[in-house]
Structures are given as C-alpha cells and as structure tokens.
Amino acid sequence: MAEVRYAAIGDSFTEGVGDELPDGTPRGWADLAAQGWADALGEPIQYANFAIRGKLAWPIVDEQLEAALALHPTHLSFNGGGNDMLRPRTPISRIADAFAHVLKRCDEEGVRLILLSGADPTEGLPLGALVRRRGDQLSAAVEERMQGRDDVVRALNWPDRELAQAPFWSADRLHMNARGHHRVAARVLTALGFEPDPAWWSLPVDDSGVRLRGAEYYRTHVGPWLRRRLTRTSSGDGRLPKFAEWQQIRPSFSGMDSHGEGFASA
C-alpha cells in the first residue's frame, strides 16, 4: 500500500482546542484520526498539523496551505470559517471561496482533499440563532462549490444534532471537549472507509468540569473574546503549528481505545 502522508490545516477546531492533554497540549480530532488511520492500516503514516487557533478562513489558506502542500501530502484536511461566522459583516461567499481555492490547489498538486464542516456550537452561545443561520448558509455555499466532486472525502459535522448538545462541548461553549473531538475523529475515519472504535461516537459524559452560567460565563469567556475583537488581536497571535514537519504515527499496540492512546511521533 502506498504511504499515507496526511496534513491538516485550519483553526482551533483542527488544532484541538478543548481537548487538552495533562500537560496542556491540545490533542483534538486530527491527532486522533491520524492515530486511528495508522491503527486501521496496521502500518505507520506521516502526519503534520499546521492549524492555529483564532484564524479566519483566508488567513488559514494564505499562511498554512502552501506550507502544507510543500510537504507533498497524499491527503489534506481543511476546515475554516468558524471565526468568520462570528463576524456578521463577513460575506458567506467570501468564506466559501476559500474552500474552492483549497480544492483547486489540491487538484493541481494531486492531493486528495478531506473536507470538514465544524460542529454546531450555537445551542450554548449568545446570538446562537444568528450564528446557526450563517452556518447553514456556509454549509450550503461550500457544498455548491464541491458539487460533482465525489472524490472529495466529506466529514460533515454541522448537521450532527447530537454533536451540537452540551455534553460534547467544553466550558467556553465554543470549542468541543474530548468527547466531541472523538466523535469528529470517528466521522473522519468512517469517511475514509475505516471502522472506528464504536466508543468514539459517544464517550461517557465527563461531569468533572465547571460550567459557568450567567454573568460569570460572560466575564470569563465572552469578555476576553470581545476584547480581542476591539483590539484586533487573536488567540493565535504568536503561536506556531504544533506539527510543521512530518511526524511518524505508528500503530498502537492495542489499536484504537476510548482515550486515543498510542499517539507516537518520531
């Protein structure tokens, strides 16, 4: 079998924010899917992840796409637009054009695109109905640009109403927790034609975290976001990709497990 070289680009969703390891390093669905991919094949794969939190769709393309393609991947995953949707003046067509550009560049380089839509966080967000409408519009616009492209691997999470529920989300209500990231990883592996660990679709609910409400939630989570908008800064400013070079992901000894253990790099 030909060697798999998988590169991921995106924002906090692909970086893995909300699914942190004990040392604080974000893991997330892309790390989990890479490990699951190696386990399913029974042989190592190469994996890189350029995603950085807080990025808008076109900065992802401008800053990450060519660096990822320079590694000559066989597969590239892309998701973006979540941060754009929180800015009502950003045209949906402009966001969707980023997806079309990524597909064009993948075609030119002979890379297979793995297309993801983000999960829907709006049940727990202020102005959630507005964000959901924009998310629905973006999903439709991206699908229109991908029409007739059955070769594109689709792992679409926005329509998943179970994934939209609170037990899959972290305390900030904007990023998925480990439970959510495992469900997305299971969807990616299924879209690739593999059978993920059934437990990944719905891990046991973790009630150990503190979920803030009312003014305390706004002060802790919404306030910092608003300050960044006012100061035109980003949570990703100064951050570097966690895997800007190939990492060798070896099959884990026991295959996939409910905690995604076995992730190895070289």
Side-chain angles (χ1 to χ4, degrees):
M1 182 176 293
E3 180 186 43
V4 170
R5 301 183 302 278
Y6 164 44
I9 64 173
D11 54 22
S12 60
F13 174 64
T14 302
E15 185 186 346
V17 174
D19 177 26
E20 280 75 27
L21 297 171
D23 66 358
T25 302
R27 176 179 54 180
W29 67 263
D31 288 15
L32 293 165
Q35 182 65 63
W37 202 337
D39 290 340
L41 294 176
E43 60 186 44
I45 73 166
Q46 302 297 315
Y47 169 56
N49 190 325
F50 291 84
I52 293 178
R53 65 193 68 183
K55 293 294 183 181
L56 302 174
W58 274 102
I60 293 171
V61 173
D62 294 338
E63 298 167 15
Q64 300 176 24
L65 176 59
E66 295 305 322
L69 292 176
L71 294 180
H72 303 293
T74 58
H75 297 74
L76 181 139
S77 68
F78 173 57
N79 169 264
N83 294 301
D84 303 74
M85 288 193 308
L86 298 176
R87 294 161 170 79
R89 295 182 180 179
T90 303
I92 293 296
S93 60
R94 174 67 175 161
I95 309 171
D97 286 346
F99 287 81
H101 179 79
V102 171
L103 176 59
K104 176 177 178 291
R105 288 294 293 123
C106 284
D107 285 346
E108 291 171 347
E109 299 295 329
V111 177
R112 191 169 189 189
L113 176 63
I114 302 172
L115 172 69
L116 288 98
S117 59
D120 180 359
T122 58
E123 288 190 12
L125 291 181
L127 302 176
L130 172 62
V131 178
R132 183 178 294 119
R133 283 198 301 274
R134 286 176 60 78
D136 291 343
Q137 293 166 0
L138 177 59
S139 294
V142 171
E143 275 298 309
E144 181 180 359
R145 284 157 175 76
M146 301 290 157
Q147 191 172 6
R149 294 299 304 266
D150 294 338
D151 57 319
V152 172
V153 178
R154 288 170 168 80
L156 305 181
N157 300 286
W158 186 263
D160 186 342
R161 300 322 305 162
E162 183 175 355
L163 185 55
Q165 297 174 10
F168 290 95
W169 295 85
S170 62
D172 68 4
R173 308 182 194 174
L174 190 60
H175 299 99
M176 296 180 303
N177 57 21
R179 195 168 187 254
H181 279 281
H182 276 80
R183 186 174 178 91
V184 171
R187 176 164 285 116
V188 171
L189 291 170
T190 299
L192 289 167
F194 302 121
E195 189 72 29
D197 185 332
W200 284 23
W201 289 103
S202 189
L203 296 183
V205 176
D206 181 3
D207 293 325
S208 61
V210 176
R211 301 189 71 84
L212 303 178
R213 299 181 182 277
E216 193 173 4
Y217 167 75
Y218 278 83
R219 184 168 55 252
T220 302
H221 296 295
V222 179
W225 182 86
L226 290 174
R227 284 193 293 274
R228 289 195 296 273
R229 299 290 76 73
L230 292 172
T231 58
R232 297 183 180 274
T233 58
S234 169
S235 57
D237 287 348
R239 297 189 68 90
L240 298 174
K242 59 181 177 180
F243 301 131
E245 301 290 343
W246 289 127
Q247 310 293 302
Q248 185 179 71
I249 311 302
R250 307 181 187 93
S252 57
F253 290 111
S254 58
M256 290 181 293
D257 59 50
S258 62
H259 302 290
E261 294 175 353
F263 189 93
S265 64

